Amino acid sequence: MDAAKNKYSIIVPTYNERLNIALIVYLIFKHLPDVDFEIIVVDDGSPDGTQEIVKQLQKLYGEDRILLRPRAKKLGLGTAYMHGLKHASGNFVVIMDADLSHHPKYLPSFIKKQLETGASIVTGTRYVTGGGVHGWNLMRKLTSRGANVLAQTLLWPGVSDLTGSFRLYKKSVLEDVISSCVSKGYVFQMEMIVRASRKRYHIEEVPITFVDRVFGSSKLGGSEIVEYLKGLVYLMITT
């Protein structure tokens, strides 16, 4: 399938990303000059003025390229993707973070990999040759790696990076997988890829370097780690 015949809907959930959203939008346009795409910003009522910045970006790039689809408050990452998906007009959907931890320079590699393989899902991975993490201390690296090893051992998902959130989906596949997921927050990413694997969808990987956020504070805390462990047990039982 020719990339020129495809349209890519890029869903970017935001909360207090005023300092990052303009740069990531610029980089997406820079790295996808010949690709038909739209950026769907799902903002959860950011008090820092994120939505006002997005409205300025709409004036610059056009409201057909930058779609602002806000929600009143923080309702979870999984439901943010569901909300964005309702407004996606592309036949492919990209999900990525707004904090610059997922560099848009990898998007052409995702698209190329999908075109070459016909994959239903292309996921970025930190844990193969060519991938990595920048800006994390040793403890956070060990925690992330340990979480993935534990999930690999218990769930056998067939992918190397379960907790990554930089992915390209066929829209129909995302609609199918997302409808069967019940988790919220950061566990959602793991459940998505595990259920996709169980459904025998073709999954390919692209090595990426994850960069810790440049501006703002991380939203990952102790409660998310507890939810991850609960989610792991849940998936062991239900998949």
Side-chain angles (χ1 to χ4, degrees):
M1 185 179 290
D2 189 346
K5 298 178 182 178
N6 295 324
K7 182 174 182 178
Y8 300 85
S9 298
I10 304 172
I11 300 176
V12 183
T14 59
Y15 185 76
N16 286 348
E17 298 292 357
R18 178 179 62 87
L19 296 175
N20 294 316
I21 190 63
L23 180 53
I24 197 165
V25 166
Y26 163 76
L27 289 170
I28 291 172
F29 275 88
K30 176 183 177 181
H31 289 284
L32 297 178
D34 302 314
V35 174
D36 185 10
F37 70 88
E38 62 187 2
I39 301 172
I40 304 171
V41 179
V42 180
D43 185 74
D44 278 0
S46 296
D48 73 338
T50 297
Q51 290 185 33
E52 286 66 32
I53 299 297
V54 175
K55 290 174 183 177
Q56 292 298 316
L57 293 170
Q58 287 180 314
K59 294 178 182 178
L60 180 62
Y61 293 104
E63 293 186 15
D64 60 326
R65 306 299 299 279
I66 309 288
L67 286 66
L68 176 60
R69 298 295 182 262
R71 303 190 296 177
K73 60 181 180 179
K74 293 183 72 173
L75 297 171
L77 194 60
T79 58
Y81 293 137
M82 293 178 185
H83 184 72
L85 188 56
K86 293 177 183 177
H87 302 282
S89 62
N91 56 322
F92 287 89
V93 176
V94 173
I95 59 174
M96 64 187 300
D97 293 346
D99 61 5
L100 302 175
S101 58
H102 299 151
H103 200 295
K105 69 182 180 181
Y106 295 111
L107 289 172
S109 298
F110 279 47
I111 293 172
K112 181 181 179 183
K113 176 68 77 171
Q114 194 286 321
L115 291 172
E116 290 175 346
T117 64
S120 299
I121 304 169
V122 177
T123 182
T125 176
R126 298 161 285 184
Y127 302 125
V128 297
T129 301
V133 175
H134 179 76
W136 282 4
N137 61 32
L138 179 59
M139 182 56 68
R140 191 170 179 189
K141 287 181 180 179
L142 290 174
T143 300
S144 176
R145 189 62 169 163
N148 266 280
V149 169
L150 180 61
Q152 292 282 345
T153 302
L154 298 177
L155 299 175
W156 292 89
V159 294
S160 62
D161 194 343
L162 277 172
T163 56
S165 55
F166 193 4
R167 295 175 185 158
L168 166 66
Y169 291 85
K170 289 182 178 178
K171 183 181 179 183
S172 59
V173 171
L174 180 56
E175 289 172 332
D176 177 40
V177 173
I178 208 170
S179 66
S180 63
C181 292
V182 299
S183 302
K184 297 180 180 179
Y186 292 89
V187 178
F188 187 78
Q189 301 294 358
M190 179 171 64
E191 183 175 4
M192 287 268 285
I193 206 70
V194 169
R195 293 202 181 278
S197 178
R198 297 294 190 268
K199 288 173 177 283
R200 304 293 184 183
Y201 283 121
H202 180 182
I203 304 171
E204 292 284 344
E205 296 185 317
V206 169
I208 64 167
T209 296
F210 179 97
V211 179
D212 201 15
R213 64 164 48 246
V214 178
F215 299 111
S217 59
S218 174
K219 303 172 184 69
L220 180 63
S223 62
E224 282 76 20
I225 295 173
V226 172
E227 287 302 312
Y228 172 84
L229 294 174
K230 289 180 179 178
L232 194 59
V233 172
Y234 169 77
L235 291 174
M236 285 175 60
I237 297 171
T238 62
T239 62

